[in-house]
Amino acid sequence: MKWFHIRMLQLCMVLAQGALTVFCDPVEDLETRERLARQPAQFVRLEYMQITPGKEQAYLETERKWAPIHEAFMRDGLIFSWGCAKARPNEVGVEYISWMSFHSLSALENLYDEANLLNYMEEEALESLHQETHACRTIVGQELLISEAFTLHDPFISDPRKRPYFVLGFMDPKPGKEDAYRRMEIDIFRPAFERWAQQEPNFWGWALRKAVVQSGQVPPGAYRTQNVYFDSLAKWDLDKWETFMQAEFKEQAPMVAEYRTERRVVFDILFAADMAMQKERQEWAKLKGSWRAEHERGGYRIKTIENYRETLREYDAQGNLLKRTSSPMRIECRHGLNYFLTFHEQGTWTSIYQVKGDTWYEQMPWIFNDQVKEGPPDEFLVYRRIK
């Protein structure tokens, strides 16, 4: 799969400019800003695998050994999630897949280099694990997917180990219909699945992704939909599902058939890295609460952090409240740095930050932002925790 990795590196250069959400165009719509704050990792890599005959148990054992390494990657902010799943009988020809999500393409540049892996496993054990892995499975195809749309949900309850299965839809837009197909998914299917999530407690969420790189034997089509469920397929209320689908999509059925062909495969999750290991979750735990920063000119500000939300209050030197804002907020951990982003009507504030004990150091965003005044790149706000 050397070609795949070369193409990945090329994409790193092309997409690097947009890899981090910096000061973007103004977004007045609150729902859009809430969605930006809760956006999952921007990229997902899927690997399609065939298991050597008679080696299924050996393959599962190797994945069991790889799991702690991937959890360590998550803990160190190198990746966002990882797991593997087995396909139920299907006509697509898929057996097993593994997935990995991350914020930036550069996350994969040196991830599996021996020098990096030796930070997580002794050399002899690593060599043995490589041999065991190659003996029991072959990667027959890979694809890199970029996020296009998703339903609003709470990722803090999204531990994959509590989600026994998901459904992948392999979508192939018909010639000349790609734009119409994409708009149909975003404008019709996404709102419908958000309504379905309110009715069905076992349904966790839906996502649409597009393949930007494909290599080897991959299912047809460039788009992938994913429906994720908390409980087993056998416990679905199928009558309720059919009633919902008829009510939502009966009028759209001819349009759906006109715009794309689809093949769906159900996957049972076998292993998934513990989402509690995510660097982002560790950072949220550090940031939650209230913080105070003094202004050199007098006055102060108090910032209160909750999941996906920052509330900022500005006070004068006498303690009079001057301004209060409450904005959707996002954290990203990449390349050993922590970023937080707050989404405002007039644009997005992006900053590098670090929390040490009860002190929060927030770099002023002049190096990211050409839409406000210039300032020194080493200027910081320093907050002290007050509760």
Side-chain angles (χ1 to χ4, degrees), residues 73-144:
F73 288 168
M74 291 170 57
R75 179 198 65 213
D76 292 344
L78 302 179
I79 64 173
F80 189 76
S81 69
W82 168 88
C84 65
K86 181 179 181 179
R88 297 185 186 181
N90 62 87
E91 299 178 353
V92 179
V94 177
E95 294 183 12
Y96 287 82
I97 65 169
S98 67
W99 74 87
M100 180 188 299
S101 67
F102 38 91
H103 295 299
S104 170
L105 290 174
S106 58
L108 294 184
E109 285 184 20
N110 304 305
L111 190 64
Y112 289 105
D113 286 358
E114 183 174 1
N116 185 51
L117 290 174
L118 288 175
N119 294 321
Y120 302 95
M121 181 174 282
E122 295 293 331
E123 184 174 4
E124 184 175 342
L126 179 61
E127 178 61 28
S128 176
L129 181 54
H130 276 308
Q131 293 177 2
E132 294 170 18
T133 303
H134 294 318
C136 62
R137 67 101 175 97
T138 301
I139 298 174
V140 297
Q142 293 179 304
E143 55 187 9
L144 175 70

Side-chain angles (χ1 to χ4, degrees), residues 49-68:
M49 295 173 289
Q50 288 183 351
I51 307 305
T52 304
K55 295 287 188 177
E56 183 173 35
Q57 289 305 312
Y59 161 71
L60 295 177
E61 183 59 28
T62 63
E63 293 290 14
R64 193 185 309 277
K65 293 178 180 178
W66 279 109

